[in-house]
Amino acid sequence: ETGVTQTPRHLVMGMTNKKSLKCEQHLGHNAMYWYKQSAKKPLELMFVYNFKEQTENNSVPSRFSPECPNSSHLFLHLHTLQPEDSALYLCASSQEVDRVGGYTFGSGTRLTVV
Amino acid sequence: KNQVEQSPQSLIILEGKNCTLQCNYTVSPFSNLRWYKQDTGRGPVSLTIMTFSENTKSNGRYTATLDADTKQSSLHITASQLSDSASYICVVTPGGGADGLTFGKGTHLIIQP
């Protein structure tokens, strides 16, 4: 394991459901990120949190709502998703938002919207 | 627009053979370039990082090269093993305080016995 734990590993939800993805790290990192990985596309940055404060929202639709209660935990709340939102959602952390790219990634949540 | 292009998109080789993956980028200014390995169903794991002044960096059977003049990098895998089957992603960090990493789409490598 990398030190970044994501749950659940797999999630199937209907378009009217509400669900949450969870990410936890005990690496002492101060920055956490949500990325979306779709087939045959580069990773897309969704949200950045630094010391629990959101510093970046990369034009993500409001049906995705992040929450960062502390530097070790990050959630992604999902509601009224669309089938095109089906993807692998990756959480990552780094010591600081240092832009060096030294991220530790979790294993991801494979989301399927039906 | 900053871009990272990787080739080939996918590659199949026999176990024990060598292979080379390519990464071309247009990111400028440049800070560093990383190669990540992503096993199926897992998150990416960093293999190497190179800054502007570094030409080559090795990590076991993985050797990355960087030509900052032509904005090209390669990842060479020697004596491939079945466990090398994965996607390999090239990631470029901009310099000069600019925001945002630029990710390539990855090369999907399959090692056949």
mmCIF file of all heavy atoms in Angstrom, chain A residues 9 12 40 51 57 80 83 85 95:
data_model
loop_
_atom_site.group_PDB
_atom_site.id
_atom_site.type_symbol
_atom_site.label_atom_id
_atom_site.label_comp_id
_atom_site.label_asym_id
_atom_site.label_seq_id
_atom_site.Cartn_x
_atom_site.Cartn_y
_atom_site.Cartn_z
ATOM 1 N N ARG A 9 -13.491 0.647 -3.272
ATOM 2 C CA ARG A 9 -12.671 0.397 -4.465
ATOM 3 C C ARG A 9 -13.522 0.416 -5.732
ATOM 4 O O ARG A 9 -13.065 0.825 -6.793
ATOM 5 C CB ARG A 9 -11.953 -0.949 -4.354
ATOM 6 C CG ARG A 9 -10.890 -0.981 -3.272
ATOM 7 C CD ARG A 9 -9.729 -0.036 -3.595
ATOM 8 N NE ARG A 9 -9.155 -0.276 -4.907
ATOM 9 C CZ ARG A 9 -8.236 -1.190 -5.169
ATOM 10 N NH1 ARG A 9 -7.779 -1.966 -4.212
ATOM 11 N NH2 ARG A 9 -7.755 -1.320 -6.402
ATOM 12 N N VAL A 12 -21.077 1.288 -7.931
ATOM 13 C CA VAL A 12 -22.062 1.398 -8.999
ATOM 14 C C VAL A 12 -23.234 2.188 -8.432
ATOM 15 O O VAL A 12 -23.759 1.842 -7.375
ATOM 16 C CB VAL A 12 -22.542 0.015 -9.489
ATOM 17 C CG1 VAL A 12 -23.594 0.177 -10.583
ATOM 18 C CG2 VAL A 12 -21.361 -0.809 -10.001
ATOM 19 N N LYS A 40 -8.414 6.318 -21.965
ATOM 20 C CA LYS A 40 -7.708 6.959 -23.080
ATOM 21 C C LYS A 40 -7.638 8.476 -22.960
ATOM 22 O O LYS A 40 -7.531 9.181 -23.974
ATOM 23 C CB LYS A 40 -8.340 6.549 -24.414
ATOM 24 C CG LYS A 40 -8.291 5.047 -24.658
ATOM 25 C CD LYS A 40 -8.802 4.670 -26.030
ATOM 26 C CE LYS A 40 -8.682 3.154 -26.227
ATOM 27 N NZ LYS A 40 -9.164 2.713 -27.541
ATOM 28 N N PHE A 51 -3.731 22.332 3.516
ATOM 29 C CA PHE A 51 -4.048 22.601 4.915
ATOM 30 C C PHE A 51 -5.566 22.759 5.102
ATOM 31 O O PHE A 51 -6.040 23.693 5.740
ATOM 32 C CB PHE A 51 -3.334 23.862 5.405
ATOM 33 C CG PHE A 51 -1.862 23.694 5.562
ATOM 34 C CD1 PHE A 51 -1.001 24.094 4.544
ATOM 35 C CD2 PHE A 51 -1.319 23.150 6.704
ATOM 36 C CE1 PHE A 51 0.374 23.942 4.677
ATOM 37 C CE2 PHE A 51 0.063 23.006 6.846
ATOM 38 C CZ PHE A 51 0.896 23.401 5.824
ATOM 39 N N ASN A 57 -10.365 24.643 -7.803
ATOM 40 C CA ASN A 57 -11.537 23.924 -8.287
ATOM 41 C C ASN A 57 -11.470 24.037 -9.796
ATOM 42 O O ASN A 57 -11.689 25.116 -10.346
ATOM 43 C CB ASN A 57 -12.809 24.553 -7.734
ATOM 44 C CG ASN A 57 -14.065 23.919 -8.316
ATOM 45 O OD1 ASN A 57 -14.032 23.253 -9.343
ATOM 46 N ND2 ASN A 57 -15.188 24.123 -7.661
ATOM 47 N N THR A 80 -26.703 13.050 -8.343
ATOM 48 C CA THR A 80 -27.272 13.223 -9.689
ATOM 49 C C THR A 80 -26.201 13.185 -10.759
ATOM 50 O O THR A 80 -26.079 14.093 -11.599
ATOM 51 C CB THR A 80 -28.099 14.526 -9.803
ATOM 52 O OG1 THR A 80 -27.267 15.649 -9.499
ATOM 53 C CG2 THR A 80 -29.278 14.474 -8.876
ATOM 54 N N PRO A 83 -23.951 9.302 -16.787
ATOM 55 C CA PRO A 83 -23.139 8.146 -17.217
ATOM 56 C C PRO A 83 -21.718 8.520 -17.622
ATOM 57 O O PRO A 83 -20.781 7.739 -17.393
ATOM 58 C CB PRO A 83 -23.938 7.574 -18.398
ATOM 59 C CG PRO A 83 -25.352 7.948 -18.093
ATOM 60 C CD PRO A 83 -25.278 9.309 -17.443
ATOM 61 N N ASP A 85 -19.821 10.406 -16.202
ATOM 62 C CA ASP A 85 -18.992 10.580 -15.009
ATOM 63 C C ASP A 85 -18.337 9.268 -14.584
ATOM 64 O O ASP A 85 -17.512 9.250 -13.654
ATOM 65 C CB ASP A 85 -19.830 11.122 -13.850
ATOM 66 C CG ASP A 85 -20.364 12.512 -14.123
ATOM 67 O OD1 ASP A 85 -19.633 13.322 -14.746
ATOM 68 O OD2 ASP A 85 -21.521 12.782 -13.739
ATOM 69 N N GLN A 95 3.498 16.479 0.273
ATOM 70 C CA GLN A 95 3.924 17.194 1.475
ATOM 71 C C GLN A 95 3.356 18.612 1.489
ATOM 72 O O GLN A 95 2.799 19.074 2.472
ATOM 73 C CB GLN A 95 5.446 17.227 1.534
ATOM 74 C CG GLN A 95 5.995 17.836 2.814
ATOM 75 C CD GLN A 95 5.589 17.039 4.035
ATOM 76 O OE1 GLN A 95 5.652 15.825 4.044
ATOM 77 N NE2 GLN A 95 5.125 17.726 5.060
#
